[in-house]
Amino acid sequence: MTVGKSVTMQDIADRVGVSKALVSMIFRGVPGPSAETKERVLAVAAELDYRPNRTAALLSLRRTHLIGVMTDIRNAFHAEMVEHMVAEAAQVGYEVVLGPVTPTHAEADVIETLLDFRCEAVVLLGPEASDDALGAWGARVPLVAVGRRIKGVDAVRADDSRGMSVTVDHLVGLGHRRIAHLTGGSGAIGRDRHAGYRRAMHRHGLDDVIRVVEGDFTEQCAPSAVVDLLADAGNRPTAIVAANDRSAVGLLDALQRQGVSVPGEISITGYDDSTLARMAHIDLTTVSQEPKEQASRAIRAAVERLDSGRTDAVSSVLRPRLVVRGTTGPVATHVV
Amino acid sequence: MTVGKSVTMQDIADRVGVSKALVSMIFRGVPGPSAETKERVLAVAAELDYRPNRTAALLSLRRTHLIGVMTDIRNAFHAEMVEHMVAEAAQVGYEVVLGPVTPTHAEADVIETLLDFRCEAVVLLGPEASDDALGAWGARVPLVAVGRRIKGVDAVRADDSRGMSVTVDHLVGLGHRRIAHLTGGSGAIGRDRHAGYRRAMHRHGLDDVIRVVEGDFTEQCAPSAVVDLLADAGNRPTAIVAANDRSAVGLLDALQRQGVSVPGEISITGYDDSTLARMAHIDLTTVSQEPKEQASRAIRAAVERLDSGRTDAVSSVLRPRLVVRGTTGPVATHVV
DNA sequence: TTGTAAGCGTTATCAT
DNA sequence: ATGATAACGCTTACAA
């Protein structure tokens, strides 16, 4: 199909009997044109179903007011942030173009595509590229990395270590001492959370009851972890801090199968405040990474570079928020 | 920030000492230019970090090869389809532009934006606009509606009624007769699935054991449904067909609390083959809506209109696929 | 094989 | 208040 020739400013101008410059002014709302011509132009435009050609406008403007957002579209947490970014960008006069990372479109491809669309800045959600690669991109275009520790480019993330700390604090406040940790593997995020756990335990003088079992961010790792943790009946943890919601849900299930009550005998916490955690029958105590705030800071960081000429990299580390739900409770008083 | 002047074909042409027309040909890979100039041009382009200005190219071409996809980014099922659409579109020489529906950007706004980007066709994932509104859009631009029954515009969806049928068939094959249905409310989808259940029961001559309890697509509705269904001990269903995975998971949980074993005493099925259903400890028998196939058909429908000049509306109704997992089993032999 | 020049639909400057 | 006219960066006949 040949895409139909669309109505242009010239068409309107001809029809009304004015110049297209005038039509342009009217559509951009600049003062000048008389109320009467304005009215006639608008009328004809409506009649012809005219829609301004953004492509042409941008070509001439050399500005696009586009912010590219690279995201793993399958990631619910990303989705939540994207939603807020769209709103935030609109408020400050920008529009978001999504660049979905998929099995067929790697990170580098996506960034290239975003740049092809003439995005003036790019926001990368959970980028996995190397620090060097990101630095190189950052030299070419205003770049904001979200959810990851990195220097030299703008960064926005939640403080995972601190998130784990407040979780442990919460449990200690409930009287728990034997608090175990189910890890999230050896990636950057898993490591940060693990470190946060250890630091918090240390701060409470609980070094001697630190207990760590290896996990992988999925529910699959939970059953064996539970077997491991419950093995020595006299030395059971009274609480388990999982590295994320998904593995926490796995724990919930495994414990239930073992007939261990939550939070009666063991308290459980997750991380992410995902949809899963909010489900009524799961009702998991977890940590929110403040997706809305991260989204708005990321957009603001990009816009600052674009509109206010900021050139030094800023790093925004958000304080995560503990969301107390039903899987944590006071430690059983009659512990052996 | 003034966006830096970028390097253009003219820059390359000047530097190499040729015309920009030649540079253009080289970048489009059209035959003509000599191998030698090609090489020089490419070298200079690389050196200058030249990137073709798609905006300018499109302006002159009057084709964009862009397909707009409107989606609820929070919907995991949409996300899965989008992923496949991106790949499918790339294969046939198109690119996907995502238009996320959010609280601040309604369906109509999103479609407008997509059109502003000069998308040549739009694919609407789960549109909620009226049939008339969709028809009107369809008259302006090639339009494919996904996941919804509609006439007059291209449509792609899975046959919900049939999906329920195969589910019931599966259960009947396992010896079940008292098969109940937990509905998904009174929307179009919930109604289709409900109808499919009734039809299948009828086909098996099980009209007299049809039993329907009202649900709402969330896990919240499950507990009361379970109370209701188990009330009369002598007349319990041996299987419950839920309208979607989420409410099925609610059933699983409620039954477990009641000490009813699944699938030992009661079999449970969901619908959607969501991530939830695939979780190891849930392992829910469910129905896949074939997201990949829907995605590819939707893109193909759009491209047919664009490239092959098809003008009559086509409707593609996919056969859903039963995914048997661990929550369904043979009916207990010692039923009262 | 290579160059020239006329668009494409805007915006913006400078006249009128 | 309105109109010419020159960009913007590319594609594409048509010419050389």
Side-chain angles (χ1 to χ4, degrees):
Chain A
M1 176 196 190
T2 304
V3 173
K5 255 202 67 54
S6 40
V7 180
T8 75
M9 282 190 171
Q10 191 60 260
D11 297 328
I12 300 183
D14 292 349
R15 185 98 161 224
V16 178
V18 294
S19 75
K20 64 176 181 168
L22 204 46
V23 177
S24 172
M25 299 178 80
I26 290 171
F27 271 96
R28 279 173 298 142
V30 311
S34 71
E36 195 220 323
T37 38
K38 193 179 301 187
E39 196 173 318
R40 278 165 56 212
V41 164
L42 257 22
V44 171
E47 183 186 338
L48 264 37
D49 190 25
Y50 165 74
R51 56 176 44 239
N53 185 329
R54 162 180 218 138
T55 305
L58 298 183
L59 180 57
S60 146
L61 275 173
R62 259 102 56 76
R63 283 294 310 260
T64 63
H65 280 261
L66 253 30
I67 296 179
V69 175
M70 183 195 83
T71 169
D72 170 7
I73 198 166
R74 301 287 288 273
N75 184 317
F77 186 64
H78 285 191
E80 199 165 345
M81 286 196 290
V82 165
E83 196 167 291
H84 295 302
M85 286 182 176
V86 169
E88 181 79 24
Q91 277 198 8
V92 290
Y94 283 80
E95 199 157 327
V96 161
V97 177
L98 255 33
V101 174
T102 70
T104 58
H105 291 63
E107 290 195 353
D109 301 333
V110 172
I111 300 178
E112 290 287 356
T113 303
L114 255 16
L115 261 24
D116 282 348
F117 272 91
R118 285 312 198 249
C119 289
E120 299 179 349
V122 294
V123 174
L124 272 26
L125 266 31
E128 288 177 355
S130 70
D131 284 23
D132 285 351
L134 290 182
W137 284 115
R140 290 177 55 183
V141 60
L143 173 318
V144 185
V146 176
R148 129 149 190 197
R149 192 192 284 279
I150 181 172
K151 294 211 188 311
V153 303
D154 292 349
V156 175
R157 64 185 179 93
D159 186 342
D160 278 354
S161 168
R162 176 175 202 118
M164 292 302 276
S165 273
V166 300
T167 305
V168 171
D169 292 352
H170 164 64
L171 291 167
V172 169
L174 289 170
H176 294 272
R177 288 181 46 85
R178 287 210 295 281
I179 303 169
H181 174 48
L182 173 60
T183 73
S186 54
I189 297 179
R191 280 208 314 276
D192 270 11
R193 294 186 186 168
H194 183 166
Y197 160 78
R198 295 196 104 96
R199 209 166 304 147
M201 291 297 276
H202 174 72
R203 188 159 35 75
H204 288 286
L206 298 174
D207 297 88
D208 52 328
V209 287
I210 282 180
R211 186 146 169 214
V212 172
V213 23
E214 290 296 324
D216 62 1
F217 277 142
T218 80
E219 70 280 3
Q220 320 262 16
C221 64
S224 71
V226 164
V227 167
D228 185 355
L229 290 168
L230 301 189
D232 179 358
N235 193 29
R236 288 188 174 183
T238 62
I240 309 174
V241 174
N244 73 343
D245 287 349
R246 199 166 160 190
S247 55
V249 169
L251 288 177
L252 252 27
D253 180 66
L255 288 171
Q256 192 166 46
R257 285 176 206 262
Q258 305 267 343
V260 177
S261 85
V262 174
E265 296 172 72
I266 295 190
S267 285
I268 298 291
T269 66
Y271 205 104
D272 281 349
D273 192 24
S274 60
T275 324
L276 213 52
R278 297 176 211 164
M279 283 182 73
H281 72 279
I282 292 181
D283 196 39
L284 181 70
T285 292
T286 184
V287 176
S288 163
Q289 301 204 56
E290 307 286 15
K292 182 170 181 182
E293 182 64 18
Q294 289 203 51
S296 112
R297 293 213 191 185
I299 293 297
R300 266 151 39 200
V303 172
E304 273 168 31
R305 289 212 181 234
L306 263 17
D307 292 354
S308 319
R310 176 170 60 69
T311 57
D312 52 314
V314 297
S315 170
S316 210
V317 181
L318 283 171
R319 172 183 300 228
R321 183 171 47 86
L322 182 71
V323 181
V324 178
R325 295 211 178 84
T327 56
T328 49
V331 66
T333 49
H334 51 287
V335 183
V336 191
Chain B
M1 174 196 189
T2 304
V3 172
K5 256 202 65 56
S6 39
V7 1
T8 74
M9 281 190 171
Q10 191 61 257
D11 297 329
I12 300 184
D14 291 350
R15 185 97 160 226
V16 178
V18 295
S19 75
K20 63 175 183 167
L22 206 46
V23 178
S24 171
M25 300 178 80
I26 290 172
F27 271 97
R28 279 173 298 139
V30 310
S34 71
E36 196 219 324
T37 39
K38 194 179 299 186
E39 197 172 318
R40 280 165 56 212
V41 164
L42 257 21
V44 171
E47 181 186 340
L48 264 37
D49 190 24
Y50 165 73
R51 58 176 41 240
N53 186 327
R54 160 180 219 135
T55 303
L58 298 184
L59 182 58
S60 127
L61 275 173
R62 259 100 58 76
R63 284 292 310 256
T64 63
H65 280 263
L66 253 30
I67 296 178
V69 175
M70 183 194 83
T71 168
D72 169 7
I73 197 166
R74 302 286 289 274
N75 184 319
F77 186 64
H78 285 191
E80 199 164 345
M81 286 196 290
V82 166
E83 195 167 291
H84 294 303
M85 287 183 175
V86 170
E88 180 79 24
Q91 278 198 7
V92 291
Y94 282 80
E95 200 157 328
V96 161
V97 177
L98 255 33
V101 173
T102 69
T104 58
H105 291 63
E107 290 195 353
D109 302 333
V110 172
I111 300 178
E112 290 287 355
T113 303
L114 255 17
L115 261 24
D116 282 347
F117 272 92
R118 286 313 199 247
C119 289
E120 300 179 349
V122 294
V123 174
L124 272 25
L125 266 31
E128 289 177 354
S130 70
D131 284 22
D132 285 351
L134 290 183
W137 284 115
R140 290 177 55 183
V141 59
L143 173 319
V144 184
V146 176
R148 130 146 189 203
R149 191 192 285 279
I150 181 172
K151 295 212 188 309
V153 303
D154 291 350
V156 175
R157 64 184 178 91
D159 186 343
D160 279 354
S161 168
R162 176 175 203 119
M164 292 302 275
S165 272
V166 299
T167 305
V168 170
D169 292 352
H170 163 64
L171 291 168
V172 168
L174 288 169
H176 295 272
R177 287 181 46 86
R178 287 210 294 280
I179 303 168
H181 174 47
L182 173 60
T183 73
S186 53
I189 297 178
R191 280 208 315 275
D192 270 11
R193 295 186 186 168
H194 183 164
Y197 160 78
R198 294 196 104 96
R199 208 165 306 148
M201 290 297 276
H202 174 71
R203 188 157 37 74
H204 287 287
L206 297 174
D207 297 86
D208 52 328
V209 288
I210 282 181
R211 186 147 169 214
V212 172
V213 24
E214 290 296 323
D216 62 2
F217 278 141
T218 81
E219 69 281 2
Q220 320 262 16
C221 64
S224 70
V226 165
V227 168
D228 185 354
L229 290 168
L230 301 189
D232 179 359
N235 193 29
R236 287 188 175 184
T238 61
I240 309 174
V241 174
N244 73 341
D245 287 349
R246 197 165 160 190
S247 55
V249 169
L251 288 177
L252 250 28
D253 182 66
L255 289 171
Q256 193 166 44
R257 285 176 206 263
Q258 305 267 343
V260 177
S261 85
V262 174
E265 297 173 72
I266 295 190
S267 286
I268 298 292
T269 66
Y271 206 104
D272 280 349
D273 192 25
S274 61
T275 325
L276 213 52
R278 297 175 212 166
M279 283 182 73
H281 71 280
I282 292 182
D283 197 39
L284 180 70
T285 292
T286 184
V287 176
S288 163
Q289 302 202 55
E290 306 286 14
K292 181 170 180 182
E293 183 63 19
Q294 289 203 50
S296 112
R297 293 214 190 183
I299 293 296
R300 267 152 38 201
V303 172
E304 274 169 30
R305 290 213 181 232
L306 263 16
D307 292 355
S308 318
R310 176 171 60 71
T311 57
D312 52 314
V314 298
S315 170
S316 208
V317 181
L318 282 171
R319 174 183 298 229
R321 183 171 47 86
L322 182 71
V323 180
V324 178
R325 294 211 179 84
T327 56
T328 48
V331 67
T333 49
H334 51 286
V335 183
V336 190

